[in-house]
Amino acid sequence: MLVLPVVRLSGALGRRTGGRQSWRWVPPVASAVALPPAAAGAAVTGARGPAGYFGIWALAAVAITAAALLSRLRRRGSVGTVALWGTLLVVCAHALCGMAIRTGLLTEYHPPRVDKASLVGTWSDGGGGTLTLVLYRYVGDPDAGDLYELVRLPGGPGPSAP
């Protein structure tokens, strides 16, 4: 998604400054284009500090630069070439991941299962804030006209039931 704009923009800058396309414009253009996705990636992954942000930005810039330079090798049909190789890459990655899961090298992701009893307790956010969860149940039948009564079940911290 970012490779072809980098190729086109670096070619335009090369023609504007030197009269012809030059590969030398690809790294600076790729570095500039990599900033917004790298910032978003750092925010999503929770990278901390300048080293984390710089690492993600450098990896993105190198990946975009390498792909753009490879795309420049073939002047004609770069859209078709990128589409073909991109599709091949996705199919190969899917096949390799499938084989890795099938052979047991990787395990399939299963979300954690949480029951009511494991939620009861005092939870801390690490910054001084706490949340206390207690286990209650409703007693009564709304169809019979009874009002619900909230009854605290035994076990777990929290205020005692009235």
Side-chain angles (χ1 to χ4, degrees):
M1 201 156 93
L2 299 173
V3 174
L4 292 178
V6 166
V7 170
R8 300 284 188 236
L9 183 58
S10 62
L13 285 172
R15 284 189 303 277
R16 187 120 159 111
T17 58
R20 63 183 183 92
Q21 291 186 9
S22 174
W23 68 269
R24 290 180 184 96
W25 280 101
V26 172
V29 170
S31 299
V33 167
L35 277 174
V44 168
T45 60
R48 302 206 188 278
Y53 292 122
F54 177 76
I56 291 176
W57 170 74
L59 285 173
V62 166
I64 293 170
T65 300
L69 288 173
L70 286 173
S71 176
R72 285 180 45 89
L73 291 177
R74 182 178 168 115
R75 300 279 179 182
R76 284 190 185 179
S78 59
V79 174
T81 303
V82 170
L84 172 69
W85 288 106
T87 304
L88 183 62
L89 178 68
V90 168
V91 168
C92 288
H94 183 73
L96 288 173
C97 288
M99 287 189 300
I101 289 172
R102 198 78 148 136
T103 60
L105 191 61
L106 295 176
T107 58
E108 206 172 330
Y109 173 76
H110 297 287
R113 302 209 185 269
V114 181
D115 60 341
K116 291 178 188 175
S118 65
L119 290 176
V120 173
T122 300
W123 295 82
S124 172
D125 65 357
T130 60
L131 172 68
T132 302
L133 298 176
V134 292
L135 192 57
Y136 287 94
R137 71 178 165 111
Y138 287 103
V139 177
D141 184 10
D143 295 333
D146 293 338
L147 293 177
Y148 278 118
E149 180 185 350
L150 193 60
V151 177
R152 182 175 184 270
L153 297 176
S160 60

